[in-house]
Amino acid sequence: MNLITLATQPTATGFEAFMPIIMMVLMFVVLWFFMIRPQKKKQKEEAKMRDNLQPGDEIMTIGGFYGRVISVKDDSIVIESVVDRSKQKIIRSAVQTNFTVHDETDDK
């Protein structure tokens, strides 16, 4: 190629110059909408479930241990085994599922 052909080739101006940046921003928005946002929502629901634990609730831990909540402290709970009635002290973050359904009352 010589200098004349290089000078006469069209260059990207205006909107075409920003197209790669726009595509990257669009990809980030799609990633956030389909991956990050649902994960944050799920984490909030799990935290709410763990904060609302009450004595008498039937739960399952992340290790697969089933039990009934006996007492609730700040960051730990005491559960009683369903099988042999032994008591275990665990941290709240170890609770995976609460099988007891509580009525949601709005204080308005």
Side-chain angles (χ1 to χ4, degrees), residues 26-54:
L26 183 64
M27 285 176 36
F28 177 75
V29 168
V30 169
L31 176 75
W32 178 81
F33 188 72
F34 286 110
M35 295 181 74
I36 298 170
R37 184 173 165 256
Q39 183 65 27
K40 295 259 186 205
K41 186 176 178 182
K42 183 179 177 184
Q43 287 175 348
K44 285 181 182 179
E45 289 173 0
E46 289 175 353
K48 182 179 176 185
M49 179 267 304
R50 290 178 181 131
D51 289 340
N52 293 329
L53 287 174
Q54 300 172 0

Side-chain angles (χ1 to χ4, degrees), residues 1 11 20 33 38 84-85 90 93 108:
M1 292 189 147
T11 58
F33 188 72
D84 60 358
R85 305 280 188 215
I90 63 170
S93 61
K108 290 184 179 179

Side-chain angles (χ1 to χ4, degrees), residues 40-100:
K40 295 259 186 205
K41 186 176 178 182
K42 183 179 177 184
Q43 287 175 348
K44 285 181 182 179
E45 289 173 0
E46 289 175 353
K48 182 179 176 185
M49 179 267 304
R50 290 178 181 131
D51 289 340
N52 293 329
L53 287 174
Q54 300 172 0
D57 287 353
E58 298 284 332
I59 63 163
M60 181 178 70
T61 65
I62 56 176
F65 185 77
Y66 288 88
R68 177 178 293 126
V69 176
I70 301 299
S71 68
V72 180
K73 305 278 185 186
D74 292 333
D75 62 342
S76 65
I77 60 174
V78 176
I79 60 175
E80 181 180 59
S81 170
V82 174
V83 178
D84 60 358
R85 305 280 188 215
S86 64
K87 293 180 173 55
Q88 301 273 328
K89 183 177 182 179
I90 63 170
I91 58 174
R92 279 186 192 242
S93 61
V95 177
Q96 179 178 1
T97 309
N98 184 357
F99 296 111
T100 306

Side-chain angles (χ1 to χ4, degrees), residues 15-30:
F15 181 73
E16 296 165 353
F18 294 106
M19 194 65 169
I21 296 170
I22 292 171
M23 291 301 294
M24 293 201 39
V25 169
L26 183 64
M27 285 176 36
F28 177 75
V29 168
V30 169

